[in-house]
Amino acid sequence: MTILITGATGQLGHLVIDSLLARGADPEAIVAGARDLSKAADLADRGIRVVALDYDDAASVSAALDGVDSVLLISGSEVGRRTPQHKAVIDAAKAAGVRKLVYTSAPKATTSDLVLAPEHKATEELIAASGIPAVILRNNWYTENYVGSMSQAAESGVLAASVGDGKVASASRQDFADAAAVVLLEDGHIGEVYELAGDIAWDFSELAAAIAEIVGRPVEYTALSTEEHAAQLAGAGLDEGTIGFVTALDTGIRSGTLAETDGTLARLIGRPTTPLAEGLRAAA
C-alpha cells in the first residue's frame, strides 16, 4: 500500500512520516509531497520517495497521486484559499482511484461557528460528494500554537486574551500525527469522523500557570474584552484583517468551541495525550 502525505515538509506532515516509520511502515511505500523539494532532502535520505506537490498546481497534484493507494490531505495553511486547493487534491484522488483519503479538519467543522470552520466544512462536503472512502480527523488546537504567547509572557509576565473563561482541549502535534498514522495504516476507520482533542481541557489561567512553570517567572492571565483586545493588537501594529481574525478566534474559544473532549484521540493512539506543560516545554 502506497501512502501519500501532502504538505510533508510541514511540522505535522513530518511528524506523521516519523510515526508511520515508527509503526513499521516501509519507507518505500511512503510518498512525501512537497512544494519545495529542497526542504525534503532529509526524507529522501531515509528512503522515502519525494514528489513535487503544489496545491495550486493541478498537474503536480495529479502526478503526485499516480499509483497512490492512500492519501493524507493535510489542510493548507493559506486561509481563504484552502477550499480550491483541497478540491484539487480530492479531484485528483478520485481520478487516481485512491482507496482511502484522510483529511485533517477542524472541531465540529460542519456546525461550528469558529472562524476557521467554513473552509473545513466545504472540504468535508467535497470529500463526501466525491465518493472516495474517507476518514475525517477533526483536530482540536495544537498546544504548540501557544509557543508565541509563551515567549511574550516570558518578557511581560502577562498573558492577555479575550477568551474569558473559555477552555481549550489541546494536544501536541505528535499526538495528532500519531492518530493520522494509525488511521492510515489500520483497516476499519473508513467512514469515521473523529473529533480529536486532548484528554484535559484547560483555561487561560491554567495556561498562564503552565507558562510560569516553564519560564521561571510569575505570569498573570489578563482577561480582555474583544474591544480591549482589538485595541491592544492595533497598538502592536497588526492590520485590521489580522486583528479581526485573532479576536474571532478568541470569541470562538470563549463560546466553548474548543472545550469538548471525549478521549477519542487517546484511544486511537493507545496512550494519554501530552499534558499542556509538557507539550509547551517540548516546543519551546
Side-chain angles (χ1 to χ4, degrees):
M1 182 180 69
T2 305
I3 301 171
L4 170 68
I5 309 300
T6 72
T9 57
Q11 292 171 308
L12 180 63
H14 213 294
L15 289 172
V16 172
I17 291 175
D18 290 342
S19 189
L20 288 169
L21 294 173
R23 283 168 166 74
D26 182 351
E28 295 183 357
I30 300 173
V31 182
R35 181 160 50 186
D36 184 350
L37 297 182
S38 68
K39 295 181 179 179
D42 66 312
L43 297 174
D45 289 343
R46 298 162 76 182
I48 293 166
R49 180 159 64 95
V50 177
V51 298
L53 194 161
D54 184 336
Y55 291 148
D56 293 316
D57 180 353
S60 78
V61 176
S62 294
L65 279 154
D66 184 36
V68 168
D69 299 299
S70 299
V71 176
L72 174 63
L73 171 53
I74 294 177
S75 56
S77 59
E78 297 173 276
V79 176
R81 299 181 58 190
R82 292 189 288 190
T83 302
Q85 290 176 335
H86 298 166
K87 185 177 186 300
V89 178
I90 295 163
D91 289 347
K94 182 175 182 179
V98 164
R99 291 183 288 174
K100 182 190 290 186
L101 174 64
V102 180
Y103 173 60
T104 61
S105 189
K108 303 290 180 66
T110 53
T111 58
S112 172
D113 58 3
L114 191 69
V115 66
L116 291 172
E119 288 181 301
H120 291 292
K121 178 178 185 290
T123 300
E124 289 192 22
E125 290 171 348
L126 289 169
I127 291 170
S130 75
I132 302 170
V135 187
I136 305 299
L137 304 179
R138 291 180 173 171
N139 292 350
N140 203 302
W141 248 219
Y142 301 138
T143 296
E144 291 86 347
N145 290 349
Y146 294 99
V147 170
S149 298
M150 181 166 63
S151 298
Q152 294 170 4
E155 294 182 5
S156 66
V158 174
L159 174 68
S162 51
V163 299
D165 58 1
K167 293 190 172 186
V168 178
S170 73
S172 70
R173 277 197 184 90
Q174 186 65 63
D175 295 336
F176 292 115
D178 286 346
V182 166
V183 301
L184 285 166
L185 293 173
E186 291 183 353
D187 295 328
H189 298 286
I190 295 297
E192 296 289 348
V193 178
Y194 290 123
E195 297 284 348
L196 302 181
D199 294 335
I200 298 173
W202 45 263
D203 63 26
F204 271 58
S205 293
E206 292 168 305
L207 175 59
I211 291 172
E213 175 187 334
I214 294 166
V215 303
R217 65 163 295 174
V219 175
E220 179 182 355
Y221 166 49
T222 299
L224 304 173
S225 68
T226 299
E227 294 73 22
E228 289 170 336
H229 195 187
Q232 185 181 89
L233 295 171
L238 274 66
D239 63 87
E240 185 175 343
T242 302
I243 292 169
F245 182 75
V246 171
T247 55
L249 285 177
D250 276 22
T251 297
I253 293 172
R254 188 170 66 245
S255 66
T257 56
L258 300 180
E260 292 189 26
T261 177
D262 63 5
T264 299
L265 177 54
R267 288 191 293 272
L268 265 182
I269 63 180
R271 60 170 174 80
T273 60
T274 306
L276 173 61
E278 183 179 331
L280 285 173
R281 187 178 287 108

